[in-house]
Structures are given as structure tokens and as C-alpha cells.
Amino acid sequence: MTGTEHADNRILGRLRSAGGQGVVTVQERFDTDVDDLWSAITDPARIARWLGEVEGDLRLGGEFRAHFSLASGWEGTGRVEACEPPRRLLVRTVDNVNSGEQFIEATLTADGDQTIFVWEERGMPVSLLAAYGAGIQAQVEDLGAYIAGRESTDFGTRWSELHPPYEELAADVG
């Protein structure tokens, strides 16, 4: 399966803890080349079509503001910590509500006409791993729908479907 051609029970993520904080890793394969996928995750106009608004400088060392209005509703600021086009993007984010610092790292690997995409987010409380896992997978599925030219699913509905299996995964994280 590629993009958002998913069965409701298909779980793309892995959960773990490191240094007392949660880590969510979601991997998916997309039917597009690495340059197109890189553009979809770094061009603010394209990001707005699948995730939400991003304003600012998305180059190495650049700072930005974001509102993930199409997905979780997250709002905050960030800084680009690493940028290796079209293979790796690492951003540090701080949300507007509790000022918690987190890192989102995206890696892209070309595989023929497809691209393997890995989104790893770290720094959340371990107690919230299931919620983050479900949310990140839903966002990655929305990216896949955008790449494939399809409509995104309703984020809240998809999150509700994904949350119970992610709760089972989180129960095994110590």
C-alpha cells in the first residue's frame, strides 16, 4: 500500500522512550520521487495543502511560525536545525500552549520511482505517546493523500480510529 490507501488497522508507527521522553517514528512509502516529496514538506505553499500554515525561513538556521490547522491544530514556533536537501530535515519546535520543546526529523530515501519517508518526532511526554503516534500517522496519511491528489480524511475521525492500537503499543513502552 502507498499513500493513504490504508486499512483502518494499518499501523505505520513505532513508539519508544529515550532519556525519559517519548519518541514516535512513522514510516511510509510514497509513489513520487524524492525531489517532489522534499518540496511537499519544505515549500510553505505545498505544506498548507496537507498540514497547515508555515511562515518564515525554512533554511538551515531559519526560524518559522506554524499552525497545523488541517491536522492537529498545533501552533508554535520552530527553528531549522539541519537541512540536507532532498534527504533530511530536522526542526526544533516549541508549542504555544506549554512551551514544550520537541524535534521533528524527516528523512527521505529514493527507491526507484518511489520514496521512503520517515517522520520521527521526539521530546513528548511518554504518557502522550499513543496520542502523538495516532496524530503523526494521520498527518503522514494526509501527506500521502496530497501527493496522490486525493482529499485528506477527517483528522479527528482518523485519530480516533488510530488511537486504540497506539494505546496498545504505548503500553509496552517503559
PDB file of all heavy atoms in Angstrom, residues 128-145:
ATOM      1  N   LEU A 128       2.037  10.553  26.644  1.00  0.00           N
ATOM      2  CA  LEU A 128       1.282  11.001  25.474  1.00  0.00           C
ATOM      3  C   LEU A 128       1.689  10.289  24.186  1.00  0.00           C
ATOM      4  O   LEU A 128       1.286  10.703  23.095  1.00  0.00           O
ATOM      5  CB  LEU A 128       1.431  12.516  25.297  1.00  0.00           C
ATOM      6  CG  LEU A 128       0.878  13.376  26.432  1.00  0.00           C
ATOM      7  CD1 LEU A 128       1.138  14.849  26.166  1.00  0.00           C
ATOM      8  CD2 LEU A 128      -0.606  13.112  26.628  1.00  0.00           C
ATOM      9  N   LEU A 129       2.466   9.222  24.289  1.00  0.00           N
ATOM     10  CA  LEU A 129       2.938   8.522  23.096  1.00  0.00           C
ATOM     11  C   LEU A 129       1.805   8.055  22.191  1.00  0.00           C
ATOM     12  O   LEU A 129       1.879   8.195  20.967  1.00  0.00           O
ATOM     13  CB  LEU A 129       3.812   7.327  23.476  1.00  0.00           C
ATOM     14  CG  LEU A 129       5.287   7.617  23.682  1.00  0.00           C
ATOM     15  CD1 LEU A 129       5.993   6.394  24.270  1.00  0.00           C
ATOM     16  CD2 LEU A 129       5.947   8.053  22.392  1.00  0.00           C
ATOM     17  N   ALA A 130       0.765   7.480  22.752  1.00  0.00           N
ATOM     18  CA  ALA A 130      -0.346   6.976  21.923  1.00  0.00           C
ATOM     19  C   ALA A 130      -1.014   8.113  21.157  1.00  0.00           C
ATOM     20  O   ALA A 130      -1.296   7.982  19.956  1.00  0.00           O
ATOM     21  CB  ALA A 130      -1.369   6.241  22.787  1.00  0.00           C
ATOM     22  N   ALA A 131      -1.260   9.221  21.823  1.00  0.00           N
ATOM     23  CA  ALA A 131      -1.900  10.361  21.164  1.00  0.00           C
ATOM     24  C   ALA A 131      -1.021  10.910  20.049  1.00  0.00           C
ATOM     25  O   ALA A 131      -1.501  11.188  18.944  1.00  0.00           O
ATOM     26  CB  ALA A 131      -2.194  11.457  22.192  1.00  0.00           C
ATOM     27  N   TYR A 132       0.260  11.050  20.319  1.00  0.00           N
ATOM     28  CA  TYR A 132       1.173  11.534  19.291  1.00  0.00           C
ATOM     29  C   TYR A 132       1.295  10.534  18.147  1.00  0.00           C
ATOM     30  O   TYR A 132       1.322  10.919  16.975  1.00  0.00           O
ATOM     31  CB  TYR A 132       2.554  11.826  19.878  1.00  0.00           C
ATOM     32  CG  TYR A 132       2.680  13.215  20.439  1.00  0.00           C
ATOM     33  CD1 TYR A 132       2.268  13.504  21.736  1.00  0.00           C
ATOM     34  CD2 TYR A 132       3.211  14.242  19.668  1.00  0.00           C
ATOM     35  CE1 TYR A 132       2.391  14.779  22.253  1.00  0.00           C
ATOM     36  CE2 TYR A 132       3.337  15.529  20.184  1.00  0.00           C
ATOM     37  CZ  TYR A 132       2.925  15.783  21.472  1.00  0.00           C
ATOM     38  OH  TYR A 132       3.041  17.062  21.986  1.00  0.00           O
ATOM     39  N   GLY A 133       1.401   9.249  18.467  1.00  0.00           N
ATOM     40  CA  GLY A 133       1.505   8.234  17.415  1.00  0.00           C
ATOM     41  C   GLY A 133       0.328   8.294  16.460  1.00  0.00           C
ATOM     42  O   GLY A 133       0.497   8.299  15.231  1.00  0.00           O
ATOM     43  N   ALA A 134      -0.879   8.349  17.004  1.00  0.00           N
ATOM     44  CA  ALA A 134      -2.080   8.417  16.168  1.00  0.00           C
ATOM     45  C   ALA A 134      -2.085   9.704  15.340  1.00  0.00           C
ATOM     46  O   ALA A 134      -2.407   9.685  14.143  1.00  0.00           O
ATOM     47  CB  ALA A 134      -3.332   8.343  17.042  1.00  0.00           C
ATOM     48  N   GLY A 135      -1.713  10.818  15.945  1.00  0.00           N
ATOM     49  CA  GLY A 135      -1.711  12.092  15.244  1.00  0.00           C
ATOM     50  C   GLY A 135      -0.673  12.167  14.139  1.00  0.00           C
ATOM     51  O   GLY A 135      -0.954  12.633  13.030  1.00  0.00           O
ATOM     52  N   ILE A 136       0.523  11.692  14.423  1.00  0.00           N
ATOM     53  CA  ILE A 136       1.577  11.736  13.410  1.00  0.00           C
ATOM     54  C   ILE A 136       1.230  10.823  12.244  1.00  0.00           C
ATOM     55  O   ILE A 136       1.402  11.200  11.079  1.00  0.00           O
ATOM     56  CB  ILE A 136       2.942  11.399  14.035  1.00  0.00           C
ATOM     57  CG1 ILE A 136       3.342  12.514  15.011  1.00  0.00           C
ATOM     58  CG2 ILE A 136       4.001  11.196  12.950  1.00  0.00           C
ATOM     59  CD1 ILE A 136       4.487  12.160  15.927  1.00  0.00           C
ATOM     60  N   GLN A 137       0.710   9.624  12.531  1.00  0.00           N
ATOM     61  CA  GLN A 137       0.309   8.758  11.424  1.00  0.00           C
ATOM     62  C   GLN A 137      -0.771   9.417  10.579  1.00  0.00           C
ATOM     63  O   GLN A 137      -0.711   9.379   9.345  1.00  0.00           O
ATOM     64  CB  GLN A 137      -0.168   7.386  11.899  1.00  0.00           C
ATOM     65  CG  GLN A 137      -0.614   6.535  10.706  1.00  0.00           C
ATOM     66  CD  GLN A 137      -0.831   5.085  11.005  1.00  0.00           C
ATOM     67  OE1 GLN A 137      -0.201   4.514  11.906  1.00  0.00           O
ATOM     68  NE2 GLN A 137      -1.707   4.447  10.241  1.00  0.00           N
ATOM     69  N   ALA A 138      -1.753  10.034  11.207  1.00  0.00           N
ATOM     70  CA  ALA A 138      -2.812  10.714  10.452  1.00  0.00           C
ATOM     71  C   ALA A 138      -2.228  11.826   9.577  1.00  0.00           C
ATOM     72  O   ALA A 138      -2.653  12.013   8.430  1.00  0.00           O
ATOM     73  CB  ALA A 138      -3.874  11.271  11.401  1.00  0.00           C
ATOM     74  N   GLN A 139      -1.234  12.552  10.080  1.00  0.00           N
ATOM     75  CA  GLN A 139      -0.597  13.608   9.294  1.00  0.00           C
ATOM     76  C   GLN A 139       0.181  13.022   8.122  1.00  0.00           C
ATOM     77  O   GLN A 139       0.134  13.558   7.004  1.00  0.00           O
ATOM     78  CB  GLN A 139       0.311  14.458  10.181  1.00  0.00           C
ATOM     79  CG  GLN A 139      -0.482  15.306  11.150  1.00  0.00           C
ATOM     80  CD  GLN A 139       0.380  15.989  12.190  1.00  0.00           C
ATOM     81  OE1 GLN A 139       1.486  15.552  12.497  1.00  0.00           O
ATOM     82  NE2 GLN A 139      -0.126  17.077  12.746  1.00  0.00           N
ATOM     83  N   VAL A 140       0.888  11.922   8.336  1.00  0.00           N
ATOM     84  CA  VAL A 140       1.626  11.277   7.250  1.00  0.00           C
ATOM     85  C   VAL A 140       0.647  10.752   6.200  1.00  0.00           C
ATOM     86  O   VAL A 140       0.899  10.862   4.996  1.00  0.00           O
ATOM     87  CB  VAL A 140       2.554  10.167   7.793  1.00  0.00           C
ATOM     88  CG1 VAL A 140       3.128   9.311   6.665  1.00  0.00           C
ATOM     89  CG2 VAL A 140       3.684  10.791   8.622  1.00  0.00           C
ATOM     90  N   GLU A 141      -0.485  10.215   6.636  1.00  0.00           N
ATOM     91  CA  GLU A 141      -1.503   9.779   5.677  1.00  0.00           C
ATOM     92  C   GLU A 141      -2.061  10.959   4.883  1.00  0.00           C
ATOM     93  O   GLU A 141      -2.337  10.833   3.681  1.00  0.00           O
ATOM     94  CB  GLU A 141      -2.623   9.036   6.405  1.00  0.00           C
ATOM     95  CG  GLU A 141      -2.200   7.686   6.922  1.00  0.00           C
ATOM     96  CD  GLU A 141      -3.263   6.976   7.752  1.00  0.00           C
ATOM     97  OE1 GLU A 141      -4.335   7.564   8.024  1.00  0.00           O
ATOM     98  OE2 GLU A 141      -3.008   5.819   8.131  1.00  0.00           O
ATOM     99  N   ASP A 142      -2.223  12.116   5.534  1.00  0.00           N
ATOM    100  CA  ASP A 142      -2.679  13.310   4.821  1.00  0.00           C
ATOM    101  C   ASP A 142      -1.650  13.747   3.780  1.00  0.00           C
ATOM    102  O   ASP A 142      -2.013  14.171   2.681  1.00  0.00           O
ATOM    103  CB  ASP A 142      -2.966  14.456   5.789  1.00  0.00           C
ATOM    104  CG  ASP A 142      -4.277  14.284   6.536  1.00  0.00           C
ATOM    105  OD1 ASP A 142      -5.075  13.401   6.168  1.00  0.00           O
ATOM    106  OD2 ASP A 142      -4.492  15.037   7.505  1.00  0.00           O
ATOM    107  N   LEU A 143      -0.361  13.645   4.111  1.00  0.00           N
ATOM    108  CA  LEU A 143       0.684  13.933   3.142  1.00  0.00           C
ATOM    109  C   LEU A 143       0.552  12.991   1.942  1.00  0.00           C
ATOM    110  O   LEU A 143       0.627  13.419   0.787  1.00  0.00           O
ATOM    111  CB  LEU A 143       2.068  13.804   3.785  1.00  0.00           C
ATOM    112  CG  LEU A 143       3.277  13.882   2.848  1.00  0.00           C
ATOM    113  CD1 LEU A 143       3.318  15.207   2.095  1.00  0.00           C
ATOM    114  CD2 LEU A 143       4.561  13.653   3.652  1.00  0.00           C
ATOM    115  N   GLY A 144       0.329  11.714   2.209  1.00  0.00           N
ATOM    116  CA  GLY A 144       0.153  10.745   1.131  1.00  0.00           C
ATOM    117  C   GLY A 144      -1.052  11.051   0.257  1.00  0.00           C
ATOM    118  O   GLY A 144      -0.992  10.925  -0.967  1.00  0.00           O
ATOM    119  N   ALA A 145      -2.145  11.459   0.872  1.00  0.00           N
ATOM    120  CA  ALA A 145      -3.339  11.817   0.103  1.00  0.00           C
ATOM    121  C   ALA A 145      -3.037  13.019  -0.791  1.00  0.00           C
ATOM    122  O   ALA A 145      -3.405  13.042  -1.968  1.00  0.00           O
ATOM    123  CB  ALA A 145      -4.512  12.126   1.040  1.00  0.00           C
TER     124      ALA A 145
END
